[in-house]
Amino acid sequence: MNLKENLKLALEIFENSKQITITTHVNPDADALGSALSLYIYAKLLNKSVKVINYSETPSNLKFLPLCNEVIVFNEDEIDFILNSDAIFIVDLNDSSRTKSMEQYIFQSKAKKVMIDHHINPKEFCDVYCIDTDASSTGELIWRFFQNADNFYINQEIAENLYAAIMTDTGSFRFQRTTPEVHKIIAELIDAGANPTYIYEKIYNSNSLNATKLLGRALSSMNVFFDGKVCIMKIPREFLIETSSKDEDVDNFVEKTLSIEGVKMGILMAEITDRDEVRMSFRTKDNFSARDLALRYGGGGHFYASGARLYNVGIEDAYNLILNDLNEYMKNYQS
Ligand SMILES: [Mn+2]
C-alpha cells in the first residue's frame, strides 16, 4: 500500500464527487470529529453537497469545534443521502462495524469508499485506503491529504479542527508519535488561526463539578497489582448515579492510572449506567501491549491505548475476570 499514491487517489475522488458523506466511529473523539469536519469544510468551499453523518451524538466538550453544529446524528432521513453519495469518506476508523446501524447503508451505497486512518489491522470494505499506523492522528493524515490539493489554503475553521484532532491524539504533544513533523504542522495551524489556549480550555477544562467529583471517587477506587505494575480504576454505576454524571464523563480518567510510579499498565473499568455492560480502557508503557489485552475481549486499538467492552456482566464479575486473566497475561512480562 502506497500512502502517497492513495492520498492522491482519495483527493481525486473527493474533487470529482458531487455528493459526499463523511463519517467516523461511534463515540467520536476530537481526532474523529476534527478530521471529519476539516474535510467537510473543504468540501463546502468546493461547493459540494456534503454531510457529516455520525452514529453518535457529539460529546458536549467538542461542540465548540467550528461547524460542529452541522454534524448530523444518523437517522432514517439520511439513508438516501448515503446511498446516493458519490463518495463516502470514513475517517479515524478502520472497521465498518464501528458505524453501527449505518454500516449496511455504507455497504449498499454506490459511492466510492475512502478510508483515512491510523489504526492497526484495517478491515476490507473500502476502495481506497490511506493508512499510516505511525501517524500521530488521523488529523495529521488529513493535513497530508490537503497538501496535494492545488488550490487548498487553510482557513481558521479547518486549522482549529485539525489542531484539536492532533492535540488530543498526541496527549497534548507528549505521546511517542509527537514528531518534528507534527510540530511543523502545528506551527502552520497556529499561523492559520488555531489558538492553543482556547482549544485546550474548551476540551480539557470544561468539566462539570459533578464530573470532577466522579473523578475523585474514581481515583479513590484505584488499586495496584503485580508488584505495582498494573493499576485498575473501577467505576460502578453507583458512582455515576450518586454524582449525577454521564457515561461519557469518565472518558479521560484512564490516563490517571499511568501517573502512578511504576505502573506499566492502567485499566479503567466503568459500568454503563443503563445496562449490564462494562467499558474497559487500557493504557500501557514500555513493552506492555494494551492492544493485546483489548483483543482478548473483542476490542482493539493501538499498542499503548486500546479499549473493549464486556456485555451481560456486572462490574464485580468483570473485575474478577480481568484479574484472573491478568495472572496469565502478566507472565509474558516477567523477566
Ligand atoms: Mn485517532
Side-chain angles (χ1 to χ4, degrees):
M1 203 176 331
N2 181 332
L3 177 64
K4 262 194 177 147
E5 290 308 309
N6 288 0
L7 280 170
K8 280 184 191 156
L9 213 57
L11 182 67
E12 212 175 287
I13 291 171
F14 193 89
E15 286 175 341
N16 291 331
S17 297
K18 286 202 176 79
Q19 182 163 319
I20 301 175
T21 297
I22 301 165
T23 190
T24 185
H25 54 79
V26 58
N27 302 325
D29 54 16
D31 188 29
L33 281 161
S35 296
L37 284 165
S38 307
L39 286 179
Y40 175 75
I41 293 162
Y42 185 53
K44 285 187 72 153
L45 290 172
L46 299 180
N47 292 316
K48 309 284 184 196
S49 163
V50 58
K51 291 185 181 186
V52 177
I53 307 174
N54 291 337
Y55 174 78
S56 304
E57 296 266 1
T58 300
S60 51
N61 65 328
L62 300 179
K63 286 190 173 151
F64 78 98
L65 289 171
L67 282 284
C68 206
N69 57 334
E70 294 182 19
V71 171
I72 294 164
V73 176
F74 177 66
N75 62 78
E76 60 184 21
D77 293 344
E78 304 304 332
I79 292 172
D80 280 344
F81 191 90
I82 296 171
L83 292 178
N84 295 323
S85 287
D86 303 306
I88 301 179
F89 275 69
I90 292 143
V91 299
D92 202 42
L93 90 162
N94 64 11
D95 181 344
S96 52
S97 70
R98 297 194 74 210
T99 62
K100 300 281 175 181
S101 54
M102 290 174 66
E103 184 185 37
Q104 53 180 310
Y105 306 109
I106 293 173
F107 287 162
Q108 283 169 33
S109 174
K110 67 179 180 72
K112 286 259 191 249
K113 287 142 211 166
V114 177
M115 181 191 290
I116 304 181
D117 184 53
H118 65 134
H119 296 89
I120 315 170
N121 292 345
K123 294 264 167 37
E124 287 199 21
F125 64 99
C126 289
D127 299 287
V128 177
Y129 297 86
C130 303
I131 294 170
D132 180 355
T133 55
D134 290 328
S136 65
S137 52
T138 298
E140 182 183 343
L141 292 172
I142 300 287
W143 169 265
R144 289 192 226 160
F145 169 85
F146 285 143
Q147 299 313 298
N148 292 319
D150 288 335
N151 45 16
F152 176 75
Y153 93 98
I154 186 150
N155 64 21
Q156 186 174 353
E157 291 170 335
I158 291 176
E160 288 183 336
N161 273 297
L162 287 183
Y163 186 96
I166 298 172
M167 177 189 80
T168 52
D169 259 33
T170 56
S172 303
F173 316 109
R174 68 202 157 87
F175 292 164
Q176 271 201 333
R177 290 174 184 135
T178 310
T179 58
E181 179 61 24
V182 165
H183 279 290
K184 283 176 197 154
I185 296 170
I186 288 298
E188 296 208 38
L189 297 177
I190 295 172
D191 262 340
N195 180 329
T197 312
Y198 167 75
I199 295 171
Y200 187 93
E201 283 291 311
K202 285 289 185 185
I203 294 180
Y204 291 121
N205 288 345
S206 63
N207 299 315
S208 65
L209 179 61
N210 284 339
T212 308
K213 287 185 172 167
L214 175 66
L215 173 63
R217 304 202 57 174
L219 292 173
S220 302
S221 81
M222 296 201 302
N223 265 314
V224 295
F225 306 88
F226 301 97
D227 300 327
K229 289 199 179 72
V230 176
C231 175
I232 305 184
M233 176 189 271
K234 182 171 68 168
I235 306 179
R237 73 167 61 86
E238 296 87 75
F239 285 13
L240 292 154
I241 294 166
E242 286 160 18
T243 57
S244 308
S245 300
K246 297 186 223 99
D247 290 321
E248 69 183 54
D249 289 334
V250 307
D251 274 357
N252 295 307
F253 288 7
V254 66
E255 310 293 344
K256 300 288 180 194
T257 56
L258 286 187
S259 70
I260 298 170
E261 189 178 15
V263 170
K264 304 292 183 189
M265 169 175 293
I267 302 175
L268 161 76
M269 308 185 71
E271 201 165 29
I272 303 298
T273 344
D274 61 359
R275 56 189 185 274
D276 278 334
E277 187 175 314
V278 175
R279 167 180 167 187
M280 300 187 292
S281 301
F282 307 106
R283 293 291 184 277
T284 55
K285 286 182 184 170
D286 301 342
N287 61 330
F288 285 71
S289 169
R291 182 177 159 74
D292 281 354
L293 200 57
L295 287 176
R296 199 180 262 256
Y297 305 105
H302 304 282
F303 190 86
Y304 291 116
S306 67
R309 282 171 189 255
L310 293 172
Y311 301 94
N312 303 313
V313 63
I315 189 125
E316 288 307 327
D317 287 343
Y319 191 70
N320 292 330
L321 173 84
I322 295 284
L323 275 177
N324 197 38
D325 286 351
L326 281 170
N327 279 318
E328 194 195 320
Y329 180 80
M330 289 300 288
K331 283 182 192 149
N332 303 328
Y333 296 100
Q334 251 112 45
S335 47

